[in-house]
Structures are given as structure tokens and as C-alpha cells.
Amino acid sequence: QRDYKQDNQFRVVRHVSAWTRNINKQITQTSNHLEKILYQTFPELLVYCRHGFPDWLLHMLQKYPLPSDIIRAGKNRLTKIGFISAQKAEAIIGKAKDTVARSLPDELLGATIQSMITVLICNRQQVTLHKKALVKQFGDAQEVQLLDSMPGIAAETGVLLMIAIESIDDYEGAKQLCARFG
């Protein structure tokens, strides 16, 4: 029988970590839906999304969600968005002009894209703030410092591991700890 004492600093914030996992799931779901909509409205942009949606692309699509909006915006407005060079802006405008998707303006799709991006940006910010707060609160803990000293494990990962482990005292040895986490 397990004793659920509230004296362990990592055990107390376990629900906070679960909240972050939930937000990350929402980010994944929203990203998947956005990818499907982009595939219908402007599939040529997906070449920039091999490792998720970069911030510059989200900011561009939040202002100019459809190919017709991008064309109207022009190179000067696109280059005002961070990480969009004149060359990249020209390439994106060229893709917008030659897209294989329907070029008819669709206000509903545009509004949906903008809403999804607002949710993505907000959720990303929440996760970033939450992780920083966790490291600030627990980064100096002895267990986290020990994990942080290992190559490939930063303070953030150390905090998240300790939240999952809760207390080393709950395990008889390394084998039992490994068995729990696989």
C-alpha cells in the first residue's frame, strides 16, 4: 500500500505536470487539424513544416491565412514578419499564385486558420511559461542538480523526471525504478 504524503515537493505539483501534458496534447491535435486545412487551402506551405509549424509561418498565416491574402499582402508586408527574407517572401508569393488548391477566397477557412493559430500560439506560450516556472521552483533541488549533471539531461528534464518519479525513497533500487518507467 502506497503512502500519499504531501511532504514531497515533486509529488505536490504532479497535477501541474499533468496539465502541461494536456496542453501539449491540444497543441498536437490543433497542429494536426491545421495541417489538414493547409493541405486543402495551400499545401505548398507544408514544405516549411517538416518539424512542426515554425513561429514565423504561424505569424504569417495569422495575418494572411489564405493564398489570396498572401498575394495581396505582397513582399513588403511579408518581410516585416520575423524570419521572412525578401527571397523567402517572393518564393511564398510565387507558391500562392501557383497553388494547386482552389484559389477561391473562403472566409470560413481563413477565420478557422486564424483561430487555430491563436490557440497554438497561446498554448505554446503557456507550456513555455510553465516549464520556466518549474525550473525556477525546482531547479536547485538536489535530485534535479544530480540529474542535470548527466550528459543529455538539462534542468527542465530533471524536474520533469523527478515529478514522474516523485521520490527515490519509494523504490527499493534502480531495477524497480527502471521497471516502473520501462
Side-chain angles (χ1 to χ4, degrees):
Q1 183 175 357
R2 193 169 175 153
D3 183 17
Y4 284 95
K5 293 183 279 182
Q6 291 296 313
D7 60 345
N8 182 286
Q9 62 180 342
F10 298 108
R11 186 174 288 142
V12 173
V13 295
R14 190 162 203 180
H15 64 281
V16 178
S17 181
W19 177 80
T20 301
R21 283 192 308 276
N22 186 41
I23 296 295
N24 278 321
K25 287 178 185 177
Q26 290 176 14
I27 289 171
T28 300
Q29 289 173 335
T30 306
S31 295
N32 290 341
H33 288 296
L34 180 59
E35 183 178 348
K36 290 175 185 175
I37 288 178
L38 280 181
Y39 187 76
Q40 294 172 343
T41 59
F42 196 178
E44 293 81 3
L45 283 184
L46 294 175
V47 71
Y48 299 111
C49 305
R50 289 197 174 111
H51 303 288
F53 290 99
D55 288 339
W56 68 265
L57 183 62
L58 291 177
H59 290 293
M60 181 188 76
L61 288 171
Q62 193 169 37
K63 287 184 174 190
Y64 314 110
L66 300 171
S68 56
D69 298 325
I70 290 171
I71 293 167
R72 277 194 300 278
K75 183 172 81 171
N76 290 336
R77 287 188 185 145
L78 291 182
T79 56
K80 289 181 182 176
I81 298 169
F83 297 101
I84 299 182
S85 64
Q87 183 180 0
K88 188 183 283 184
E90 288 173 2
I92 291 169
I93 292 168
K95 291 175 188 210
K97 289 178 180 176
D98 297 332
T99 185
V100 297
R102 289 188 310 143
S103 59
L104 299 174
D106 188 330
E107 289 181 36
L108 177 61
L109 282 175
T112 303
I113 289 169
Q114 289 172 320
S115 295
M116 291 176 142
I117 289 170
T118 299
V119 168
L120 272 176
I121 290 171
C122 180
N123 283 345
R124 284 181 174 184
Q125 289 171 343
Q126 290 299 315
V127 169
T128 299
L129 287 172
H130 180 254
K131 286 180 180 179
K132 285 181 183 178
L134 281 173
V135 170
K136 185 176 180 181
Q137 183 169 343
F138 298 109
D140 292 332
Q142 182 180 2
E143 300 94 336
V144 174
Q145 291 292 314
L146 181 61
L147 288 167
D148 190 18
S149 70
M150 297 177 186
I153 298 180
E156 180 182 310
T157 303
V159 170
L160 295 174
L161 279 170
M162 285 311 302
I163 289 170
I165 293 170
E166 293 180 3
S167 175
I168 295 293
D169 297 334
D170 292 344
Y171 303 92
E172 292 177 14
K175 284 185 179 183
Q176 189 181 21
L177 180 64
C178 290
R180 168 134 190 256
F181 294 101

